[in-house]
Amino acid sequence: LRHFLHASTDLIFKWRGFAFQTELIMRRSTVPSGLSGDRSLAEPTRDGYGATAQLSYLFFVPVEVVGRLAAIDAWKDAHPDYLAQVEQTGRELALGVNYYVRGHELKIQSDYSLLTPPGFPLNRANHLARIQIDASF
């Protein structure tokens, strides 16, 4: 049995085609004191914390260019698989292009990301390309 604390905060600033977004996130579990309160006796979880910053510019309607930087870290007592994942791909550098077919109601989003270990060693990056259609009704 675990109790989880989730916390996040974000900030968005938009001005004349520019947009800046940043977010901080955190997840931490605890073991209820009635069950000893000892984390080492409980199954490890995927606890961690991270941050994202994204800058975009709407050059001309309907095309937007986006750049993103993200980092996620795990608490030292997190699940071993999660620790390994964060150690391999816990940082992200991304560039993207969005096409607004019908404003925010229908858009095509694409990006190309480099997922790296901490310190951004680009020679060890995993590559990820995405295309997404976002339709709101």
Side-chain angles (χ1 to χ4, degrees):
L1 182 66
R2 294 275 189 158
H3 291 173
F4 288 93
L5 170 67
H6 295 265
S8 68
T9 184
D10 60 42
L11 171 72
I12 298 173
F13 175 77
K14 294 181 178 184
W15 182 70
R16 294 188 177 195
F18 282 101
F20 174 73
Q21 175 189 350
T22 185
E23 181 179 20
L24 301 172
I25 56 171
M26 190 267 304
R27 173 184 155 140
R28 186 69 168 147
S29 65
T30 60
V31 178
S33 58
L35 298 173
S36 84
D38 186 352
R39 291 182 63 82
S40 66
L41 299 177
E43 183 177 339
T45 58
R46 300 173 68 83
D47 291 351
Y49 51 95
T52 300
Q54 180 171 292
L55 182 64
S56 64
Y57 184 70
L58 190 62
F59 280 99
F60 52 89
V61 177
V63 176
E64 178 181 42
V65 175
V66 178
R68 182 174 52 253
L69 175 66
I72 193 162
D73 286 298
W75 300 110
K76 295 194 185 314
D77 56 356
H79 193 283
D81 290 345
Y82 185 58
L83 286 165
Q85 179 184 3
V86 166
E87 197 54 39
Q88 292 174 1
T89 59
R91 303 294 182 267
E92 179 187 28
L93 292 169
L95 290 174
V97 176
N98 300 327
Y99 182 78
Y100 293 86
V101 179
R102 260 192 119 147
H104 285 283
E105 294 174 352
L106 179 60
K107 59 187 172 184
I108 301 169
Q109 299 173 285
S110 65
D111 67 25
Y112 177 77
S113 299
L114 298 175
L115 304 172
T116 75
F120 294 99
L122 299 181
N123 61 331
R124 293 177 50 204
N126 290 321
H127 303 263
L128 177 64
R130 295 180 279 220
I131 297 177
Q132 168 181 298
I133 297 174
D134 185 348
S136 300
F137 300 96

